[in-house]
Every structure is written in structure tokens, then in C-alpha cells.
Amino acid sequence: DPTYATWYGNLRQFEFSATVMKEVFCIFHIPHDYVPGTPFYFHAHWSNKAASPNTGTVIWGFEYTWAKGYEQMPFGASGTITVSKACSATQYMHHISETTPVTLTGIEVDGLLIMRVYRDAATDTCTDPIYLHTADVHYQSTGIPTKQRNGPGFYT
């Protein structure tokens, strides 16, 4: 697991080593305004606190599994996707590394997406520790909340 280390002033963030693979685990609830059938984009918000940041590439990996809610299905085999981004030479620059589209066929509101987020230190080229601020998921929204609170039939 990454160290919960001092990042800026008295603020702490998860520090991901430049040489040893570290990982965190997240759970995302599929929001009620998700448009069924549209893709998800996994991404990491991160920065580098080195006084002179190395501009090598940072690779984030996302291993995931998902299932519909309300006893409609079990969690399936996991999938993995990675995204690469060069580190800025500016200290504390806020980076967002976002994956290409990920389609989770059949997922719907109140499903769960369980994820392992890791820095692929074995293959990326940034020689500095990197600080993860958050990992999250972008998705297409209807802009309208659901009418039904529980169970299938969310859009009726």
C-alpha cells in the first residue's frame, strides 16, 4: 500500500513509489443519472512534489470488476486498463490521467464498480514518487435523477 505521507505543508496524500508497485482500492456506486450503455472513463488526479520534477511518464493502472445491484448478477472476472502521461516539470502541477472509454455491457444504476488503482512503477519512466489525490470515474449523465428509489425500473 502507498504511504500516507506529507505532500504539501501539513497536508498528506498517498505517495506512490517510483520503484515499487503500490495500490489502493476503491468502490464506485453507479449514480442514478447514468445513461445506460454509455462508456466510463477511469482517471487519476495526481501531482509531483519534487522541487525539480522528473518529466518521465507516469502509468496508472485500473483493475476492475462490476455487477448490477438487487441480486441480478454476480461480480465477474476483472479487466485492466492503463493510461500514461508525462509528468510536468512544474512542482505540484495537478495532473489528470484518463483512460480511453471502458464499456461495461449491461451495467445500470445502483450497480457497483470495484477497482484497484495502481502506479505501474516497473514500466513507467518518472523517477520521483507521485502523490495520488483521488481516482474517480467520468460517465455520461442524463442530467435527471431517477424517480424510483429502489429496485429495477429506475427510469419509470
Side-chain angles (χ1 to χ4, degrees), residues 8-125:
Y8 199 149
N10 294 315
L11 302 173
R12 292 175 180 240
Q13 296 287 275
F14 285 121
E15 180 184 74
F16 283 74
S17 169
T19 58
V20 178
M21 198 277 290
K22 302 288 183 174
E23 59 194 6
V24 294
F25 298 87
C26 316
I27 299 173
F28 300 101
H29 170 261
I30 306 305
H32 287 217
D33 64 344
Y34 167 66
V35 176
T38 59
F40 293 89
Y41 300 82
F42 308 150
H43 63 276
H45 293 254
W46 57 277
S47 65
N48 185 333
K49 80 170 193 176
S52 297
N54 177 276
T55 57
T57 300
V58 174
I59 300 174
W60 291 102
F62 302 87
E63 180 182 3
Y64 58 92
T65 185
W66 65 275
K68 295 180 184 182
Y70 297 99
E71 301 84 33
Q72 295 184 77
M73 66 182 292
F75 288 93
S78 66
T80 302
I81 189 168
T82 60
V83 59
S84 302
K85 186 173 191 85
C87 187
S88 168
T90 303
Q91 184 181 33
Y92 300 116
M93 180 61 70
H94 177 194
H95 295 278
I96 301 175
S97 296
E98 185 169 84
T99 66
T100 56
V102 176
T103 300
L104 306 176
T105 304
I107 198 164
E108 61 187 24
V109 167
D110 273 347
L112 286 182
L113 174 59
I114 299 176
M115 189 174 300
R116 174 176 75 101
V117 180
Y118 61 94
R119 179 181 178 188
D120 192 351
T123 56
D124 80 20
T125 60

